[in-house]
Amino acid sequence: MRDDAPNITSLTSPTKIDPAVYGNSDLFESEMREIFDRAWLLVGHESQIPDPGDFVLERAGRHPIILWRDPNGFIRGFLNRCPHRGARLCNRPHGRAKAFTCPYHGWVFDGTGALKSVPAPNEYGPEFDFADWGLTEVAALESYRGFLFVRHTSEGPDLGSFLGAMSSSFDDLVDRAPDGDIEICPVPLRHRYNGNWKLCLENLNDAHHARVAHNCAVKAAGRVMRKLGDRTPHPSLQIMMANGMPVKQFGQLRMSTSDYGHSFIHGFIDGQDATSRFPAEYVDAMKTGHGETETERILSVDRHLTLIYPGATLQGRFQVMRLIQPLGPNLTEIVGFLFRLKGAPQAMFEQSLHYFHISMSPFSPVATDDFDLYDGTQKLNGSALAGTLPVMRGLNGAPESAGDGHHQATSEAFIRNQYATWQKYMNKDAGTV
Ligand code: FES
Ligand SMILES: [Fe+2]
């Protein structure tokens, strides 16, 4: 990759992107500082740590963090770093602890992050004050409908303003629970691809690629469908088949973009009685929990995928969440989470689990297509001969606002929206932070 420091503003225009955005090490460091250290980052869900003392490790941008429910039941986020010599404080991915003892020299921190004891404290001299050496707490931590967001700066929009209309996608997921609540499956799926984090963000709402890139998966799903004959196909199989829809049909679906780089595309299955798509037992449980009218409204929502810039996606219909974590200019980790709808029959969970595996696992027939594309794209965009990339599909020459836009699902409007936001963060635009 070209490693000379590029001029940020010249790297993107409303219609083109310089391939240097993907692989430059200096630029990557700037992105981590200007975007991931300043944006709200989705990091998990309250149900991962239901009781006092429960903790779970995650990444927030580049920084390993501990999400820890303190003795009073409040969720707090700390850097997973001991303030003595900077050692990793906790190595267990999740668990319960009243205190953390650093594995290096044995400093002990309580559930509020305060330093409680050190071996041989007198040896640190008279200036050593325990109050100075607690854990570093993240600048901000907020929850929306149980989803946990952190931010590494206290400046910027509140979480509600940051999510804007996209908060309704979180509502969509949670409202599908007959008991009005969800719980996360404790073990996520993690895997990595050899490519820049933005390649994934440019792909996940790209309805245009599905028919071509996932052609083999569509054919495989078709063979299974034929074997099923008259039997009702599994919903996740229907989604795989929908990848093979003609581009014109994809173009009839809608996409919405909003401020801060977010977007969603509407679902593949539409125009039929909403409740008929779900097991009767589930619909009955929903009517008991929410009433008939509200059940109809909730199940009529058909959003395929919501992308929360810069690093998360949500699919309410199948209760799936994905975190996109940059590890380097050429390496990205994807973390997939699955939720269980409280009060829903097991059949609903099994549908979601099936979808989770075919869309997010390392052996997913769909994700492997995309990873292979990211790998090649990353290598070729790093070539000295790589030319500028167009992002003008769906523009039709008309002026376009970055946020609050409604587009055809096959438009690249969501990519343009992401890069307009990218420029704002990278140039410290006052409206972004
Ligand atoms: S680095 Fe943690 S106690 Fe020394
Ligand atoms: Fe794809």
Side-chain angles (χ1 to χ4, degrees):
M1 282 284 167
R2 288 175 276 171
D3 232 358
D4 48 315
N7 175 299
I8 300 290
T9 312
S10 68
L11 288 175
T12 73
S13 79
T15 55
K16 291 179 197 148
I17 297 169
D18 187 314
V21 298
Y22 298 112
N24 183 288
S25 304
D26 289 342
L27 191 67
F28 179 80
E29 288 305 313
S30 300
E31 289 178 329
M32 294 304 100
R33 190 174 59 247
E34 304 300 343
I35 302 176
F36 284 83
D37 284 356
R38 290 160 71 212
W40 283 106
L41 303 171
L42 182 55
V43 290
H45 189 264
E46 289 180 17
S47 61
Q48 288 173 283
I49 43 175
D51 298 312
D54 287 350
F55 70 87
V56 64
L57 304 188
E58 197 44 80
R59 274 192 215 95
R62 283 181 294 186
H63 310 289
I65 60 167
I66 305 173
L67 294 167
W68 199 3
R69 197 178 280 269
D70 76 12
N72 298 317
F74 292 112
I75 294 177
R76 313 181 68 150
F78 299 102
L79 296 191
N80 186 11
R81 173 184 174 275
C82 174
H84 176 217
R85 312 267 2 119
R88 178 188 285 267
L89 182 64
C90 177
N91 288 306
R92 274 192 295 157
H94 57 89
R96 183 172 296 175
K98 284 192 178 136
F100 282 109
T101 302
C102 178
Y104 201 171
H105 307 97
W107 286 21
V108 179
F109 304 87
D110 72 9
T112 66
L115 177 61
K116 296 313 283 183
S117 71
V118 304
N122 294 340
E123 293 180 7
Y124 290 85
E127 283 182 26
F128 186 77
D129 184 345
F130 276 44
D132 292 339
W133 301 106
L135 298 179
T136 303
E137 191 153 11
V138 296
L141 188 152
E142 280 192 35
S143 170
Y144 182 77
R145 302 289 307 261
F147 291 87
L148 297 170
F149 292 79
V150 304
R151 194 172 59 182
H152 295 301
T153 171
S154 52
E155 296 170 5
D158 60 40
L159 181 60
S161 305
F162 174 79
L163 291 176
M166 297 295 152
S167 61
S168 55
S169 291
F170 293 87
D171 299 337
D172 172 40
L173 196 159
V174 180
D175 288 348
R176 287 167 188 270
D179 290 357
D181 199 8
I182 58 172
E183 60 186 346
I184 204 163
C185 298
V187 182
L189 290 175
R190 291 178 187 270
H191 49 276
R192 297 177 177 187
Y193 66 83
N194 295 316
N196 189 265
W197 60 280
K198 297 188 291 299
L199 293 174
C200 181
L201 292 193
E202 292 169 18
N203 168 277
L204 290 166
N205 268 345
D206 179 357
H208 197 79
H209 85 293
R211 180 179 170 82
V212 182
H214 302 306
N215 180 33
C216 290
V218 171
K219 283 186 179 154
R223 279 197 290 276
V224 176
M225 292 278 259
R226 282 193 290 280
K227 279 191 181 165
L228 283 176
D230 290 341
R231 281 177 287 163
T232 308
H234 195 283
S236 52
L237 206 57
Q238 288 178 314
I239 298 283
M240 270 175 79
M241 284 298 287
N243 278 333
M245 290 193 310
V247 172
K248 202 171 165 193
Q249 210 171 332
F250 272 115
Q252 288 163 3
L253 303 179
R254 286 178 301 127
M255 167 197 294
S256 294
T257 57
S258 70
D259 288 340
Y260 301 105
H262 315 318
S263 57
F264 69 77
I265 53 173
H266 287 266
F268 295 84
I269 303 163
D270 225 340
Q272 37 179 304
D273 169 27
T275 54
S276 69
R277 288 189 261 137
F278 298 92
E281 194 188 346
Y282 168 64
V283 176
D284 289 345
M286 283 292 285
K287 286 178 180 170
T288 303
H290 295 278
E292 194 146 342
T293 309
E294 186 63 357
T295 296
E296 191 74 36
R297 183 198 67 74
I298 292 167
L299 299 185
S300 298
V301 177
D302 190 16
R303 290 183 185 179
H304 177 60
L305 185 140
T306 298
L307 192 154
I308 305 296
Y309 191 85
T313 68
L314 205 63
Q315 288 174 273
R317 166 69 179 83
F318 289 103
Q319 299 89 54
V320 168
M321 174 173 88
R322 176 194 279 112
L323 306 183
I324 300 151
Q325 300 182 337
L327 302 180
N330 307 317
L331 186 64
T332 305
E333 182 158 302
I334 303 291
V335 193
F337 291 93
L338 177 66
F339 294 89
R340 182 190 290 274
L341 301 170
K342 288 189 179 175
Q346 179 68 8
M348 283 298 288
F349 181 70
E350 285 169 9
Q351 279 190 7
S352 300
L353 183 63
H354 195 274
Y355 182 77
F356 186 55
H357 283 147
I358 68 154
S359 65
M360 285 209 195
S361 78
F363 49 86
S364 153
V366 182
T368 44
D369 294 331
D370 291 324
F371 290 165
D372 186 50
L373 288 164
Y374 302 155
D375 188 83
T377 306
Q378 183 74 19
K379 288 190 179 104
L380 292 167
N381 278 336
S383 150
L385 297 180
T388 309
L389 307 160
V391 280
M392 49 189 84
R393 197 173 68 228
L395 195 54
N396 300 327
E400 186 175 61
S401 68
D404 265 347
H406 299 286
H407 316 268
Q408 287 187 326
T410 48
S411 171
E412 286 170 335
F414 74 103
I415 302 178
R416 293 188 286 277
N417 187 34
Q418 287 174 15
Y419 279 99
T421 304
W422 186 85
Q423 282 288 359
K424 283 186 183 174
Y425 276 114
M426 297 296 274
N427 287 293
K428 298 186 172 60
D429 186 293
T432 306
V433 295

